Structure formats: C-alpha cells, structure tokens
C-alpha cells in the first residue's frame, strides 16, 4: 500500500464533506452546536486523523521487523476507517474500485480505476 491510496481516498471523502460545511451551498451545518454539525465535525476529524497515517508509510522500509508489523497494523486499521467512510458513497461517479478493497488487497497495486 502506498501513500497515493491514502491521498486518493482522503480527497474523495473530503470532496463529499466540504460542501456540507460551505455556507454558499446553503449549508447551515458544520460550525454550529446542533447534533448534525457536531457529527459532521466528528466525521471530518476521523477522516483527517486516519489520513495522517500516510507519514508512517515512508518510515516502513527503514523500520525493524517489529516496528514494520506495528506500522502495517496501523496502516490497515486507518485504511479500514477511511474505506468504511468512503463506501457510504459507493454509488458516486468518482468512487474508485480500490476504495472497497482491504489494505492487503492493495499491496503492490497502483490502481488507477
């Protein structure tokens, strides 16, 4: 799995969420203290936190075997978080097939479909 997988899935999710925070689209949510706004902020925070794992991917090659296992587990967990969120929009035209795969299924693949 490479950083580009995380960049693509994060960009896809952000493209779905950003308009929900934009007042110009008529949104009243995102910044208030109502439950919908809180849920939107929580979802965006979860996406941002899960996407930060991409910094560990670069360290994997130079890590010792024990640390590699920790990195691999972290990458898989955070990919699963993002994958679960992205799959809410499986019917969207920009949804990529790779977003429905498990992390281990993407090993060594650089999917563009």
């Amino acid at each position: 799995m490479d950083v580009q997988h995380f960049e693509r899935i994060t960009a896809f999710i952000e493209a779905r969420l950003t308009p929900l925070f934009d007042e110009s689209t008529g949104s009243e949510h995102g910044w208030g203290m109502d439950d919908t706004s809180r849920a939107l902020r929580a979802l965006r925070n979860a996406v941002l936190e899960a996407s930060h794992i991409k910094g560990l991917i670069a360290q994997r090659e130079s890590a010792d075997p024990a640390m590699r296992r920790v990195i691999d587990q972290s990458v898989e967990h955070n990919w699963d978080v993002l994958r679960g969120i992205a799959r809410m929009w499986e019917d969207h035209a920009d949804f990529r097939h790779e977003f429905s795969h498990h992390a281990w299924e993407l090993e060594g693949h650089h999917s563009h479909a």
Side-chain angles (χ1 to χ4, degrees):
M1 169 158 280
D2 61 35
V3 172
Q4 292 174 347
H5 291 292
F6 278 89
E7 290 172 348
R8 285 190 293 268
I9 200 167
T10 302
F12 172 77
I13 296 168
E14 279 292 316
R16 311 289 76 77
L17 295 179
T18 298
L20 302 177
F21 287 87
D22 188 353
E23 291 178 17
S24 70
T25 65
S27 176
E28 297 177 8
H29 302 295
W31 309 113
M33 295 309 288
D34 58 286
D35 284 347
T36 300
S37 294
R38 290 174 195 215
L40 286 171
R41 286 194 305 272
L43 179 59
R44 178 174 263 175
N45 287 341
V47 170
L48 293 175
E49 289 298 318
S51 70
H52 285 313
I53 196 72
K54 62 186 178 185
L56 276 180
I57 294 173
Q59 298 174 20
R60 186 185 185 283
E61 287 304 313
S62 61
D64 62 69
M67 183 56 83
R68 264 191 214 151
R69 283 191 296 279
V70 171
I71 290 171
D72 289 346
Q73 289 172 349
S74 296
V75 167
E76 287 176 16
H77 168 75
N78 286 284
W79 177 260
D80 283 344
V81 168
L82 294 171
R83 183 173 65 96
I85 294 168
R87 290 187 72 185
M88 296 295 118
W89 290 278
E90 278 184 307
D91 59 344
H92 192 279
D94 294 337
F95 185 86
R96 299 170 73 112
H97 186 64
E98 72 185 278
F99 300 161
S100 60
H101 288 292
H102 292 281
W104 64 84
E105 295 175 306
L106 297 173
E107 286 298 320
H109 293 96
H110 301 283
S111 175
H112 298 289

